[in-house]
Amino acid sequence: MQLQQVIQYLETIAPPSYQESYDNSGLIVGDPQQEVTGILTCLDSTEAILEEAIQKGCNVVVAHHPIVFRGLKRLTGKNYVERVVIKAIREQIAIYAIHTNLDNVYHQGVNARIAEQLGLINTRILAPKGEQKKLVTYVSAEHSDALRRELVAIGAGQLPGDAGHRSHAGLGVAYQDGAGQAEVKMEFHFAAPLERAILRTLRHHHPDPQMPHEIIRIDNINSEVGSGLIGELSEPEYEKPFLQFVKKVMKAGVVRHTRLRSRKINKVALCGGAGGFLLSRAKAAGADIFITADYKYHEFFDADGEILIADIGHYESEQYTVELLSSIISAKFSTFAVYSTEVNTNPVKYI
Ligand SMILES: [Zn+2]
């Protein structure tokens, strides 16, 4: 099994186009054509993780956080990022990162996994990226299969969480100068960020240079793509016991939170990692508590008595992503071993 086949599969779950603009998800080190001997999943691809990969006979590391984030200008081994890249190349270990694209999908995403751990029900994306569009195009029957293949190859008709494709085609007859010609009307749903790629594909592969088509915007508030998640407790719970429950389930060394409001918690908003940018969305959605990480002193004031903010730690909030990734991969592939790391890469310690 080649690495690229694994990557292709992961990208049907978390398409690269869903990553945030600042991110660097994807294959960071390695050859897509290399044969996979084993995969190790982790949050951070540190030197200790590479050592573990070697010991377990894995030549691929699938990490949540991209080890190279801002770009590298030198490779001298003067910091841990450079040392990891050098070691990975030397030991022929590929590093693949699946970061904000995995944060931003509902099905099998980072936040759904946290919600599952907390037992939330009626969950949905907190801040949907939202936009889906529909392409309608008309093409002669003989060329329709080829065009459909090209469009599907770039992700048209595919929305995260879908088992199959959302596309359909119908055969009709177009008349020109009185002569009938069989023509197919094809429709594909797609995530809005794909629009440019769709138009490029039409330009290159539509047999008619005028490439007759229309693109329709679809308003869909139940989007499957976006940041954070909101859900409900099956039974409302007082704040303090709920915070204690969260601390236990998320194995948090400490939970930093704003003043208790002496009311029961029903709606829970959450975001794995640094989710502070979603506070106003959590409030607007009527959440009683917002669980996330990386909160700074002044940002806690923004709770403003309207919501309870709980910072459970970045690593703690995302720890279940390691198992999530190994279960996603092992459910699909059986020709190599898949391991969740046993190394705790949390750089933050508590006494
Ligand atoms: Zn993170």
Side-chain angles (χ1 to χ4, degrees):
M1 184 67 58
Q2 288 186 342
L3 174 56
Q4 62 187 357
Q5 289 165 278
V6 178
I7 292 176
Q8 269 167 17
Y9 176 64
L10 288 174
E11 294 185 348
T12 62
I13 290 163
S17 56
Y18 294 156
Q19 69 179 304
E20 300 295 337
S21 55
Y22 57 80
D23 200 3
N24 190 34
S25 289
L27 186 61
I28 291 179
V29 177
D31 175 1
Q33 264 134 41
Q34 105 186 30
E35 282 295 317
V36 178
T37 61
I39 295 185
L40 180 65
T41 66
C42 61
L43 283 186
D44 310 286
S45 47
T46 60
E47 291 168 279
I49 292 287
L50 294 185
E51 276 304 324
E52 187 187 14
I54 294 166
Q55 274 163 27
K56 289 184 155 79
C58 299
N59 65 350
V60 178
V61 167
V62 174
H64 183 46
H65 298 135
I67 180 75
V68 177
F69 206 62
R70 292 177 198 88
L72 280 177
K73 286 199 168 178
R74 291 164 204 270
L75 269 179
T76 59
K78 76 173 189 310
N79 61 41
Y80 78 97
V81 173
E82 294 180 12
R83 287 195 298 276
V84 164
V85 173
I86 291 168
K87 190 178 175 77
I89 293 170
R90 194 177 277 156
E91 303 286 348
Q92 297 192 327
I93 296 175
I95 300 178
Y96 178 81
I98 181 162
H99 189 212
T100 52
N101 46 334
L102 191 66
D103 288 330
N104 281 336
V105 294
Y106 177 77
H107 285 283
Q108 299 189 289
V110 171
N111 295 317
R113 188 66 187 77
I114 301 171
E116 187 187 320
Q117 210 63 31
L118 298 177
L120 301 189
I121 55 171
N122 301 329
T123 55
R124 62 179 169 84
I125 294 261
L126 180 58
K129 272 212 191 308
E131 248 192 306
Q132 292 174 17
K133 293 189 174 180
K134 188 168 77 169
L135 165 72
V136 182
T137 187
Y138 306 86
V139 60
S140 59
E142 55 175 326
H143 292 109
S144 64
D145 254 0
L147 181 61
R148 189 187 59 80
R149 268 198 303 277
E150 295 293 343
L151 286 164
V152 166
I154 58 146
Q158 238 173 352
L159 294 167
D162 278 4
H165 291 139
R166 280 190 210 186
S167 63
H168 51 261
L171 195 62
V173 180
Y175 292 96
Q176 199 174 12
D177 301 333
Q181 191 201 354
E183 194 172 62
V184 173
K185 176 186 183 188
M186 293 196 293
E187 298 186 356
F188 299 85
H189 283 254
F190 63 93
L194 273 184
E195 183 166 346
R196 283 175 62 183
I198 298 256
L199 290 172
R200 203 180 317 123
T201 304
L202 281 181
R203 264 197 305 279
H204 289 155
H205 299 284
H206 201 298
D208 180 344
Q210 292 187 338
M211 52 179 215
H213 73 280
E214 46 191 326
I215 287 179
I216 300 161
R217 201 191 126 150
I218 296 169
D219 290 315
N220 185 353
I221 51 163
N222 293 317
S223 172
E224 304 284 318
V225 184
S227 339
L229 182 145
I230 185 160
E232 291 165 31
L233 296 182
S234 51
E235 235 174 273
E237 174 68 282
Y238 281 108
E239 291 164 312
K240 199 151 183 193
F242 182 66
L243 284 172
Q244 280 159 346
F245 164 74
V246 171
K247 183 175 182 208
K248 186 163 158 249
V249 168
M250 300 308 291
K251 299 175 201 156
V254 68
V255 173
R256 302 187 305 145
H257 62 87
T258 52
R259 150 176 91 71
L260 302 184
R261 299 192 303 150
S262 310
R263 26 197 303 191
K264 282 192 167 180
I265 302 240
N266 177 31
K267 277 192 178 180
V268 178
L270 60 86
C271 180
F277 67 101
L278 289 170
L279 181 68
S280 56
R281 299 297 292 255
K283 284 185 184 178
D288 303 298
I289 185 170
F290 180 40
I291 302 171
T292 186
D294 291 357
Y295 251 83
K296 292 183 185 163
Y297 176 80
H298 289 286
E299 294 168 349
F300 280 102
F301 284 104
D302 296 334
D304 219 3
E306 296 171 64
I307 195 168
L308 176 59
I309 296 173
D311 182 331
I312 62 171
H314 194 126
Y315 178 90
E316 290 82 352
S317 72
E318 294 177 336
Q319 64 191 305
Y320 294 109
T321 306
V322 177
E323 279 168 34
L324 171 71
L325 286 170
S326 52
S327 63
I328 287 173
I329 300 167
S330 58
K332 174 77 179 176
F333 300 99
S334 55
T335 53
F336 50 81
V338 184
Y339 302 94
S340 296
T341 180
E342 293 168 54
V343 177
N344 182 325
T345 56
N346 193 355
V348 183
K349 308 292 175 198
Y350 310 98
I351 57 167

